Amino acid sequence: MAAQEPSPPSSMENNKPGFPKKILANKLEDKHLCNCCQNILRRPFQAQCGHRFCSYCFNRTVGSGPQKCNACIKEDIFEEPTSILKPGCAFPDNAARREVENLPAVCFNEGCSWKGSIKDYELSHEGKCEFMILPCPLCKELIRLNEQERHNDRECPERTLNCKYCKEPFHFRNIKAHDEICPKYPMICEGCAKKKIPREKYVDHIKFCSKFRTPCRYHVVGCDMSVEKEKIHDHERACAHEHLNLLLHYIMGMKVSLEGLQPQSLELAGHKAHELHQELRDLEARVSQLSAIPGPTGPPVKGVPSSSSSASSSSAGASVGAALELQLHSKKTKVADLGRRCQELEVKAGTFEDVVCVLNREVEHFATTMEASNRQHRLDQDKIEALSNKVCFLFRCNLVQMLIFIWPKRKINSDSL
């Protein structure tokens, strides 16, 4: 009966090379080494030539086809077909496996005191040592296995967090950028000092917050005060005189600008437009004269140079006409551009006039307000004076009554004495 071929190693046995030499507690022997990876044998297989290999190393070697045994070549004992490695020519060496698995082992990770056999190392410690150094999958920093959870939760700069306000995920390195755009981020009102106002509601809050400081409406003319909203009317009443002075200076400056704009720019533009229109009419007249030139047999036109050759006269007229057409086109472009500039200046002048009208209305409004405030002040002074007179009158009346009441008693007492 034919001998049964050994079954190939399972996928679990075929995914790792040999054990590192550093785990062996005793002296290392060559018979325990894989002839391919030069590490301690893991699931050893023995080839026909007698050399041992890890199951992973053997399958990787013969995966691309039959190969020559490098160990046989190195020992100068190579012979065919015995030294040819190919699938099915090796068998599991269980005796060597038991011998290797019973060897004493230690953990080579710094700080770890684990001891046992190679079998125990493979089953319960390999890849599970708390002192094993691993790269962080996100930031690639080397960290111990027992520190990996803390690193992932607290230290990794590439870790992902959930905002505690809006619950949206973001990278830790972007925490400041997220805080600046988070719609739920709590803000503090600069006016009323209210805390924990979500950013998305902050604008609505300051619209109605009476303590929020806002620039004075006359900041466009020079008032640099920032006033609480509830005190803005008091500020305008108290600083009405200063506001009127600022408005006056602003209006006078605009008036000077308008006076410098209209007489110079608009008048100059008008003269230029008139000159261009005159040149345009002259060019049109010359073009109409050239268009009236007859053929070769016709009489010469007055003002056009005559020539003995009619062909040369026609070509000269054509060239002059083309030149005049170009000049006419250039003048028309200049006229159109100047007209557009005049329109822009007129629009600007109209805008300035509208602004001046609005400011004049504001000045009139402030003058009315000031007059009403002065009138109210006079009324209040009159009321205060009337109340003072009334208090004085009542005081005199009470004093007279007291004297009338006290005087008869004094007279009676003096008579009795």
Side-chain angles (χ1 to χ4, degrees):
M1 187 173 65
Q4 185 177 3
E5 291 187 0
S7 60
S10 66
S11 60
M12 182 185 70
E13 299 172 347
N14 196 32
N15 59 1
K16 291 182 181 179
F19 300 102
K21 299 176 184 178
K22 294 184 289 185
I23 70 169
L24 198 61
N26 295 338
K27 184 179 179 180
L28 181 63
E29 298 183 28
D30 292 341
K31 65 178 181 178
H32 298 144
L33 296 179
C34 171
N35 283 284
C36 182
C37 67
Q38 299 301 316
N39 286 326
I40 300 174
L41 289 164
R42 186 194 297 265
R43 308 289 192 274
F45 265 55
Q46 186 173 356
Q48 297 181 47
C49 60
H51 292 112
R52 295 187 178 95
F53 302 88
C54 301
S55 61
Y56 171 83
C57 298
F58 181 80
N59 289 332
R60 188 181 62 177
T61 301
V62 302
S64 58
Q67 304 289 332
K68 295 179 180 180
C69 179
N70 290 329
C72 291
I73 296 174
K74 185 177 181 181
E75 296 174 8
D76 199 18
I77 58 174
F78 180 85
E79 62 179 41
E80 294 185 4
T82 306
S83 297
I84 300 298
L85 304 179
K86 57 184 178 179
C89 73
F91 62 91
D93 193 339
N94 292 324
R97 175 177 176 176
R98 285 192 293 270
E99 185 178 352
V100 169
E101 289 180 346
N102 288 327
L103 292 174
V106 295
C107 181
F108 58 86
N109 291 318
E110 184 179 358
C112 182
S113 60
W114 181 91
K115 293 181 180 181
S117 64
I118 289 182
K119 183 176 181 180
D120 296 334
Y121 175 82
E122 182 181 16
L123 292 176
S124 61
H125 195 73
E126 186 179 20
K128 303 175 184 176
C129 177
E130 293 183 351
F131 296 89
M132 181 171 56
I133 304 297
L134 296 173
C136 173
L138 298 177
C139 67
K140 310 305 178 184
E141 180 182 351
L142 296 178
I143 53 175
R144 287 182 174 178
L145 183 64
N146 58 356
E147 298 175 351
Q148 190 173 24
E149 184 176 357
R150 176 173 59 84
H151 174 80
N152 292 339
D153 293 340
R154 301 180 184 179
E155 299 175 356
C156 181
E158 300 294 331
R159 67 185 184 273
T160 300
L161 302 175
N162 288 328
C163 178
K164 62 181 179 180
Y165 305 116
C166 67
K167 310 304 179 186
E168 291 293 328
F170 61 92
H171 287 293
F172 175 76
R173 66 175 183 272
N174 299 329
I175 184 170
K176 291 184 178 180
H178 178 78
D179 287 345
E180 292 177 359
I181 62 173
C182 177
K184 303 290 184 181
Y185 187 81
M187 303 186 72
I188 301 175
C189 177
E190 298 176 358
C192 63
K194 183 180 179 181
K195 300 179 179 179
K196 297 182 178 181
I197 305 173
R199 178 179 275 112
E200 60 186 0
K201 298 181 179 179
Y202 185 75
V203 176
D204 294 333
H205 171 80
I206 62 177
K207 284 181 181 178
F208 302 101
C209 179
S210 59
K211 298 290 184 180
F212 189 80
R213 300 182 73 87
T214 182
C216 173
R217 341 180 254 178
Y218 294 93
H219 71 279
V220 294
V221 294
C223 181
D224 56 356
M225 294 288 291
S226 294
V227 191
E228 296 178 2
K229 287 186 178 181
E230 63 180 5
K231 298 179 180 179
I232 191 70
H233 296 296
D234 296 337
H235 165 72
E236 290 179 354
R237 284 194 295 268
C239 300
H241 181 69
E242 289 81 357
H243 289 166
L244 285 173
N245 285 333
L246 291 172
L247 280 171
L248 179 60
H249 289 301
Y250 188 75
I251 292 172
M252 293 302 295
M254 292 188 68
K255 184 179 179 181
V256 171
S257 299
L258 286 173
E259 289 175 351
L261 175 68
Q262 290 178 355
Q264 296 177 6
S265 298
L266 290 178
E267 185 177 355
L268 182 62
H271 287 306
K272 189 68 176 176
H274 180 72
E275 293 176 359
L276 286 173
H277 278 294
Q278 184 64 35
E279 292 180 6
L280 187 60
R281 284 194 295 269
D282 294 341
L283 286 172
E284 288 176 350
R286 294 178 66 183
V287 169
S288 61
Q289 288 179 3
L290 286 173
S291 62
I293 295 176
T297 58
V301 179
K302 183 180 180 180
V304 178
S306 61
S307 177
S308 59
S309 175
S310 59
S312 60
S313 176
S314 299
S315 61
S319 61
V320 172
L324 289 174
E325 286 287 347
L326 290 175
Q327 192 175 0
L328 179 62
H329 179 72
S330 174
K331 296 295 182 181
K332 285 183 177 180
T333 304
K334 289 183 179 180
V335 169
D337 182 58
L338 193 58
R340 185 173 62 255
R341 290 178 60 188
C342 289
Q343 290 178 357
E344 291 176 356
L345 290 173
E346 289 175 357
V347 171
K348 288 183 179 180
T351 304
F352 281 128
E353 290 175 357
D354 294 339
V355 171
V356 170
C357 291
V358 172
L359 292 175
N360 284 333
R361 285 198 296 270
E362 288 290 334
V363 171
E364 292 175 359
H365 173 70
F366 264 98
T368 305
T369 304
M370 285 292 294
E371 185 178 354
S373 299
N374 293 333
R375 186 167 56 253
Q376 185 65 37
H377 179 70
R378 289 194 297 270
L379 291 174
D380 292 340
Q381 290 294 330
D382 293 340
K383 287 182 180 180
I384 291 172
E385 186 177 357
L387 289 173
S388 298
N389 294 334
K390 188 174 182 180
V391 168
C392 292
F393 176 75
L394 291 174
F395 178 75
R396 292 193 187 98
C397 291
N398 289 333
L399 183 61
V400 169
Q401 288 179 358
M402 290 176 64
L403 291 174
I404 293 172
F405 179 75
I406 293 172
W407 180 257
K409 289 185 177 181
R410 278 188 168 184
K411 188 175 182 182
I412 292 171
N413 290 335
S414 60
D415 294 340
S416 60
L417 290 174

